[in-house]
Structure formats: C-alpha cells, structure tokens
Amino acid sequence: MADQIEKTDAEWRQQLGPSEFAVLREAATEPAFSGALLHNHDTGMYRCGACDTELFDSKTKFESGSGWPSFYEPAQRGTVELRRDATHGMERIEAACARCGSHLGHVFDDGPAPTGQRFCLNSLALTFDPAPNDDEPAQNEKGNRH
C-alpha cells in the first residue's frame, strides 16, 4: 500500500465537500437509502473518497437491505483498518481507510459467505471507478480519471 496520508482538518476541508468531510473526517453517517452508490451494480473498484485508495471490488458488493452499500471483504488485505467504536451507546467495529484514516462505515458479522462479514459503508465515503472498456479511459463517480 502507498504511504500514509496525513493532512490537517483545513487541508481536508479544502479537498472535500461539506457532506464528504462530515462522513470521512468526522464519522457522520448519511441517511439510509440516500447514497448514490447504494444501487450501483456496475463492475469496477470502490475507492476511498478522501485519498483514492482502492478499497472494495464490485465483485464483493451485495444487497444487504440495510440502506448502505455493503461488501463482504476488502479488495486487498491491509487497506481497511478496523477500530472499536463505542459511540452512540453502541458497541460496533468501525471501518476506516488504512492509508488516510478516513471513516468509511462499520463492519458486522451478518454478511454472506465466504467471510460472513458485512462492511456497511457510506456512499459519501467512496468513489466508484468503473472497469475500463476499450473505447474510453476509466472515470470514477466524481469524474476523476485514473
């Protein structure tokens, strides 16, 4: 994985919109069933919305009915960091980008085989990079070319 990214809140605010900053840097949660990537069924890679690290392959996405994009495992080992989260009177496991520390969502043990895990993520924490075709360069959901 690439080097760690450390920025001040002011630097993140310059880079991210207010909603993205609230989710990625302040661990907010977007309302259920509101995310742009919830019903995305295209083939490609989901990336960190803050640092562009590849996080989840579309092959691991599934319909959980939870209201947020759900995946059963990260694309590569070590790209997603798991942290204890005791906020809001609950005991949960937070999923964060291991490269920049941004909040992605939470992990639950009620997912499908082969892992039994459900990475329940905010659409605002991700960008989507469609699998390239031969006619044009790949472009992610925010319009960035890779």
Side-chain angles (χ1 to χ4, degrees):
M1 186 168 62
D3 293 334
Q4 295 294 115
I5 295 176
E6 293 186 27
K7 295 183 181 186
T8 65
D9 279 352
E11 289 171 320
W12 284 120
R13 284 183 195 280
Q14 274 189 322
Q15 177 184 329
L16 304 169
S19 297
E20 289 84 1
F21 182 85
V23 169
L24 288 158
R25 305 308 305 169
E26 298 178 318
T29 300
E30 67 194 9
F33 300 101
S34 69
L37 298 174
L38 176 60
H39 297 296
N40 179 35
H41 298 291
D42 294 341
T43 301
M45 186 63 64
Y46 291 84
R47 296 174 173 268
C48 175
C51 73
D52 206 37
T53 296
E54 291 184 353
L55 298 174
F56 294 89
D57 190 299
S58 62
K59 294 179 223 166
T60 67
K61 188 171 190 271
F62 67 98
E63 292 294 328
S64 68
S66 66
W68 293 275
S70 298
F71 303 83
Y72 61 79
E73 72 182 340
Q76 295 178 9
R77 183 179 213 110
T79 57
V80 177
E81 179 179 77
L82 304 182
R83 307 172 181 160
R84 181 178 172 273
D85 177 4
T87 59
H88 306 291
M90 296 180 271
E91 187 71 31
R92 300 179 290 175
I93 303 296
E94 177 188 13
C97 175
R99 185 170 181 219
C100 70
S102 290
H103 173 78
L104 304 171
H106 291 88
V107 184
F108 303 94
D109 289 328
D110 60 2
T115 66
Q117 292 186 309
R118 173 173 53 100
F119 287 81
C120 186
L121 309 179
N122 293 284
S123 287
L124 287 169
L126 305 169
T127 59
F128 180 71
D129 200 6
N133 64 34
D134 296 335
D135 298 333
E136 58 188 76
Q139 196 174 67
N140 69 22
E141 192 72 18
K142 289 185 177 177
N144 300 324
R145 294 193 187 280
H146 295 283

